[in-house]
Amino acid sequence: MGRNKGILKQVFIIINFLVFTGLLYLTYNKYLEYNKNIEDKEKIVTTYKEITNDKELDAGKIKEINAKIDELNNIDDKIKNTKEEVYKLSSELEKKIKNNETNKKIAYLTFDDGPYYNTYTVLKILKENKVKATFFTTNTNGEYCYDNKNANCHEVYKAIAKDNHTIANHTYTHGWNRGLYKDTNSFMDAVKKQENLIKEKTGIVTNILRFPGGSSTPGGRGKAMKQALYDAGYGWVDWTAGDGDGGYLKDYNTGWNNLMKTIGEKIEVVLFHDYHKVTTSLLTNFIKYLRNNNYIVLPLFYDSVMINKK
Amino acid sequence: MKKTIFLIISILLLILAGASYGYLYYQNTEVEKELQDMKENVDKVQETINQEKEEITEKEDEYEKLKEKVKENLEELSIWEEIKESLNKSLS
């Protein structure tokens, strides 16, 4: 009996030992597993911090790009607002000039009968000299340029508008010798057609017109036409100086002399035609001459004193 | 007597080993749960980041296309500001 008890105790001890060893082994493995999970957890925390940081950087970058895109949109508004301020200041300067309160002078450069293919050259020269001008446009050329049949002249409207020059009306047909001034209806019909063309190509609604041939060309019918223009919200303008490129203009010197003979007023409206190569050849020097002689070169605007309202 | 003491000690060690294993098992289960949750969070954030990166690429493309226009518009604005400055000087 005593011997059996002793054997049982030994067996129990052995079993205990085995179980204990087994538990130790399992505990050790569990400990290793636990440590690995703790390491993984720390790695995940680091990864989480890194990607959260990335997310903030990305959010910052999106904000930065949106701000730049907004800046672009604001620039269009800024240009628009600055233009309005220029017109307002131009009005004030005109008043001062008319009242002899300043030595400063104004020159409005105007280009008639376009667009032409050569208008691109005019635009380039104006941009180089940082000048804004006025283009009195007509559709006598139709869609294809008179001076380059391969070029689409309706595209030139967009180039003029893109550079923010004043786009004005010179009637659809320019037909002063082809029935344009036959009666007020024919005249206003040509005005409206050109207005619609300008709007279609550029989105701009113009309210400034120059009579083809000048405001005296309609003769006795002119008064009614001027009233009709006024009723339609238009103002009109002739010119005070020019290089003579509307007729036969031989060369640079002739053009220059014509300008020097006609320039002299404190507010000038200078007549050019955008197809004429002599005009484009003297344009830069003429702009320099104007600036050296106290002229500010400006684009026409509706409220200018030079725009006749009746 | 010695054997009895030895027996008691071995039982106690057994209990201790068992308790240690149980404790570690419980702790490990908790850590594994946390780890799983964290992995899911990381995946969610990573997905958001991937979407944002796509958005950034699209916006950068949009911006690149507009970039030339900004440059031209800035030049255009500077011309108008020069004209304005010139008028201001003339009026002062």
Side-chain angles (χ1 to χ4, degrees):
Chain A
M1 186 74 170
R3 199 175 163 199
N4 284 343
K5 244 184 162 179
I7 291 170
L8 270 171
K9 268 187 187 172
Q10 279 177 357
V11 167
F12 188 68
I13 287 167
I14 291 167
I15 290 169
N16 255 9
F17 176 75
L18 288 172
V19 170
F20 177 71
T21 310
L23 273 173
L24 268 184
Y25 175 76
L26 286 172
T27 305
Y28 178 68
N29 277 340
K30 194 53 73 176
Y31 173 72
L32 289 178
E33 194 183 324
Y34 175 75
N35 268 354
K36 188 174 178 308
N37 284 336
I38 292 288
E39 259 178 51
D40 287 348
K41 191 178 152 188
E42 280 167 12
K43 280 182 191 164
I44 290 265
V45 165
T46 308
T47 305
Y48 187 77
K49 278 182 187 164
E50 282 169 9
I51 65 172
T52 310
N53 198 40
D54 275 354
K55 190 173 175 302
E56 280 175 18
L57 289 174
D58 286 348
K61 201 160 183 194
I62 289 172
K63 210 174 159 187
E64 189 189 312
I65 295 173
N66 279 338
K68 283 180 177 172
I69 290 169
D70 282 347
E71 192 188 318
L72 168 65
N73 294 331
N74 284 339
I75 281 172
D76 283 336
D77 286 341
K78 265 181 122 172
I79 291 170
K80 194 177 158 201
N81 291 340
T82 310
K83 264 175 84 168
E84 292 301 320
E85 284 169 26
V86 162
Y87 296 151
K88 202 173 150 210
L89 292 169
S90 301
S91 252
E92 284 178 36
L93 184 60
E94 281 182 337
K95 276 190 196 117
K96 279 199 153 186
I97 292 170
K98 288 287 185 188
N99 293 336
N100 285 319
E101 289 168 13
T102 179
N103 291 330
K104 278 291 176 187
K105 294 175 264 190
I106 294 175
Y108 294 109
L109 302 189
T110 66
F111 295 86
D112 279 17
D113 297 359
Y116 286 88
Y117 190 68
N118 198 51
T119 308
Y120 286 122
T121 306
V122 172
L123 291 173
K124 185 169 173 279
I125 293 168
L126 293 174
K127 189 175 250 188
E128 282 164 1
N129 288 281
K130 300 185 182 182
V131 161
K132 298 299 174 188
T134 307
F135 289 81
F136 287 93
T137 62
T138 175
N139 196 49
T140 42
N141 292 331
E143 200 173 337
Y144 295 96
C145 293
Y146 176 78
D147 54 346
N148 183 342
K149 294 284 181 232
N150 293 323
N152 185 328
C153 255
H154 282 181
E155 291 299 306
V156 186
Y157 285 97
K158 293 173 190 171
I160 299 171
K162 188 167 169 264
D163 285 356
N164 284 292
H165 297 286
T166 301
I167 299 186
N169 197 326
H170 203 36
T171 78
Y172 195 77
T173 62
H174 197 279
W176 59 268
N177 56 352
R178 284 176 279 117
L180 174 67
Y181 296 133
K182 160 173 98 171
D183 51 50
T184 305
N185 283 343
S186 304
F187 172 68
M188 288 309 291
D189 185 56
V191 168
K192 201 68 192 167
K193 268 182 153 162
Q194 186 59 19
E195 182 186 307
N196 289 341
L197 179 60
I198 293 168
K199 189 179 173 188
E200 183 198 320
K201 296 302 165 192
T202 66
I204 293 168
V205 180
T206 185
N207 55 4
I208 299 174
L209 176 127
R210 175 171 283 156
F211 285 87
S215 64
S216 58
T217 309
R221 300 188 189 105
K223 193 176 172 186
M225 289 174 189
K226 286 166 189 172
Q227 181 64 47
L229 278 176
Y230 177 73
D231 293 339
Y234 270 87
W236 56 270
V237 63
D238 283 330
W239 58 91
T240 60
D243 66 350
D245 65 357
Y248 173 64
L249 176 58
K250 196 170 72 168
D251 54 27
Y252 179 103
N253 286 336
T254 310
W256 188 265
N257 288 338
N258 287 340
L259 281 169
M260 292 305 109
K261 272 189 249 172
T262 54
I263 281 281
E265 298 295 326
K266 284 191 169 181
I267 303 178
E268 294 281 7
V269 179
V270 187
L271 171 62
F272 292 118
H273 291 80
D274 21 344
Y275 58 75
H276 216 296
K277 301 275 169 81
V278 169
T279 292
T280 44
S281 73
L282 57 75
L283 197 52
T284 297
N285 284 342
F286 183 59
I287 291 167
K288 282 183 185 154
Y289 168 86
L290 288 169
R291 285 175 170 157
N292 289 340
N293 285 274
N294 240 1
Y295 282 92
I296 297 180
V297 184
L298 296 170
L300 278 168
F301 55 103
Y302 183 78
D303 290 325
S304 165
V305 294
M306 304 308 283
I307 304 294
N308 302 280
K309 308 299 194 289
K310 257 199 178 130
Chain B
M1 184 67 184
K2 275 185 187 172
K3 277 188 182 167
T4 308
I5 291 168
F6 187 67
L7 187 63
I8 292 167
I9 289 169
S10 68
I11 288 170
L12 284 172
L13 283 174
L14 201 62
I15 292 167
L16 189 64
S20 301
Y21 176 78
Y23 175 75
L24 268 173
Y25 182 85
Y26 171 74
Q27 289 296 326
N28 193 50
T29 308
E30 290 298 306
V31 168
E32 275 178 352
K33 247 193 247 169
E34 271 180 53
L35 198 53
Q36 185 57 32
D37 287 343
M38 285 169 90
K39 276 181 183 167
E40 279 172 17
N41 282 342
V42 164
D43 287 344
K44 273 184 200 157
V45 171
Q46 191 61 57
E47 202 186 313
T48 310
I49 287 173
N50 290 343
Q51 284 170 358
E52 280 177 358
K53 285 207 185 304
E54 255 183 62
E55 194 186 335
I56 285 175
T57 307
E58 281 169 13
K59 284 213 174 274
E60 277 177 342
D61 284 344
E62 186 190 335
Y63 177 66
E64 282 304 313
K65 280 174 194 163
L66 294 173
K67 208 168 150 187
E68 260 315 295
K69 200 181 168 192
V70 173
K71 185 180 157 194
E72 282 182 19
N73 280 9
L74 281 171
E75 283 170 10
E76 183 63 18
L77 180 63
S78 112
I79 291 174
W80 283 100
E81 283 179 340
E82 267 188 52
I83 297 172
K84 184 183 156 188
E85 182 57 32
S86 169
L87 281 162
N88 273 325
K89 276 191 187 147
S90 302
L91 287 164
S92 62

